[in-house]
Amino acid sequence: MTTVEPLGAVRERVLGSLRQEIIAGRLLPGDRLVERELAERFGVSRVPVREAIRALVAEGFVLFETPRRTVVRHLTPTDVAELFELREALEVYATGLAAQRATRADLAELEELLDRAADATRADDAEVITDINTRFHDRILAMAGNSLLISVMEPVDGRLRWLTRQNEEWPQLLAEHRELYAAIASGDRDLARAHALAHVQANYRSTVRHLFGDSDSDTDPGPAAHSTATATATATAGSGSGSGSGSEGEA
């Protein structure tokens, strides 16, 4: 007897596949998602495909350019800065808690992930590296023992993986993760937070450099400073505009 896959399960399967294709770079910014073509490729009806696309819109991976045209999003500098601001606020705090609460089993699991990341880095396997790095940060978040932190990070986890995939400075990432592990293993909350902050800010600068070729990114202290500078520049421009029309001053 043939088993019929529930519609919800089909939707999740299509959603997971499309999300992973975007994260891995097999679907690129600007690529179009066509319901009919995707339904044929996955061997499903258009209903679960349509629902999966709507979920990807909600997650920030794709957008409706027009009612009939859906494409993978181009990440903007503001998108990147906002996502890293969230990491800076929550991951740094979570890492401090992890340093206080880590068990031997937790630390052993992080060590295993670092060993696997080292193997993948030597093999230059970007997709495996991205997956392991995500697991490393997810494990630290779990070690913090705060379910609310996990629930806040969960909706943007996919986009953070997408950003990690843009940064191909794999040996540097591995070195930073090893330092982060050592800080957590020390049990020193402040030391762990300091290493987490340095890691997030270094990752931000690398991501900006890879995505936008920003030659000033090496001197940029981090995403929070980026947003502050943008807001200050906007306010300054507005205060000096006099009685001219506001639309002419918009970039």
Side-chain angles (χ1 to χ4, degrees), residues 222-246:
H226 168 87
S227 294
T228 301
T230 301
T232 302
T234 302
T236 302
S239 63
S241 62
S243 58
S245 69

Side-chain angles (χ1 to χ4, degrees), residues 115-128:
D115 289 342
R116 292 171 58 193
D119 291 339
T121 299
R122 283 191 290 269
D124 199 30
D125 190 331
E127 192 161 348
V128 172

Side-chain angles (χ1 to χ4, degrees), residues 93-132:
Y93 182 71
T95 303
L97 291 178
Q100 291 180 306
R101 300 172 178 175
T103 65
R104 289 185 179 180
D106 291 329
L107 296 176
E109 188 170 346
L110 288 184
E111 280 191 288
E112 181 184 355
L113 288 171
L114 287 172
D115 289 342
R116 292 171 58 193
D119 291 339
T121 299
R122 283 191 290 269
D124 199 30
D125 190 331
E127 192 161 348
V128 172
I129 292 169
T130 301
D131 179 63
I132 294 173

Side-chain angles (χ1 to χ4, degrees), residues 57-245:
V57 171
E59 292 180 9
F61 284 102
V62 305
L63 57 83
F64 295 120
E65 282 192 337
T66 70
R68 298 180 63 83
R69 181 178 176 84
T70 307
V71 299
V72 179
R73 284 185 60 182
H74 287 273
L75 289 168
T76 68
T78 298
D79 292 331
V80 175
E82 289 179 349
L83 283 166
F84 273 95
E85 282 176 354
L86 186 63
R87 282 192 64 186
E88 190 173 295
L90 299 183
E91 283 193 15
V92 171
Y93 182 71
T95 303
L97 291 178
Q100 291 180 306
R101 300 172 178 175
T103 65
R104 289 185 179 180
D106 291 329
L107 296 176
E109 188 170 346
L110 288 184
E111 280 191 288
E112 181 184 355
L113 288 171
L114 287 172
D115 289 342
R116 292 171 58 193
D119 291 339
T121 299
R122 283 191 290 269
D124 199 30
D125 190 331
E127 192 161 348
V128 172
I129 292 169
T130 301
D131 179 63
I132 294 173
N133 286 347
T134 300
R135 290 172 183 265
F136 182 82
H137 282 284
D138 286 348
R139 188 65 207 134
I140 293 174
L141 196 60
M143 288 162 56
N146 187 312
S147 60
L148 287 177
L149 279 174
I150 295 173
S151 66
V152 169
M153 291 293 289
E154 188 174 8
V156 297
D157 181 66
R159 274 180 288 172
L160 289 173
R161 289 182 63 196
W162 193 15
L163 284 181
T164 299
R165 180 63 180 84
Q166 311 307 314
N167 179 2
E168 297 183 353
E169 297 178 9
W170 307 127
Q172 178 62 28
L173 278 174
L174 178 60
E176 291 172 11
H177 282 173
R178 282 175 168 157
E179 292 175 354
L180 191 56
Y181 163 80
I184 293 171
S186 75
D188 186 327
R189 176 176 179 173
D190 291 337
L191 180 64
R193 286 166 62 95
H195 276 278
L197 178 61
H199 173 56
V200 170
Q201 292 183 342
N203 196 205
Y204 169 72
R205 291 192 295 270
S206 297
T207 301
V208 168
R209 184 163 56 247
H210 279 269
L211 282 175
F212 312 115
D214 187 348
S215 61
D216 294 329
S217 63
D218 285 329
T219 58
D220 184 350
H226 168 87
S227 294
T228 301
T230 301
T232 302
T234 302
T236 302
S239 63
S241 62
S243 58
S245 69

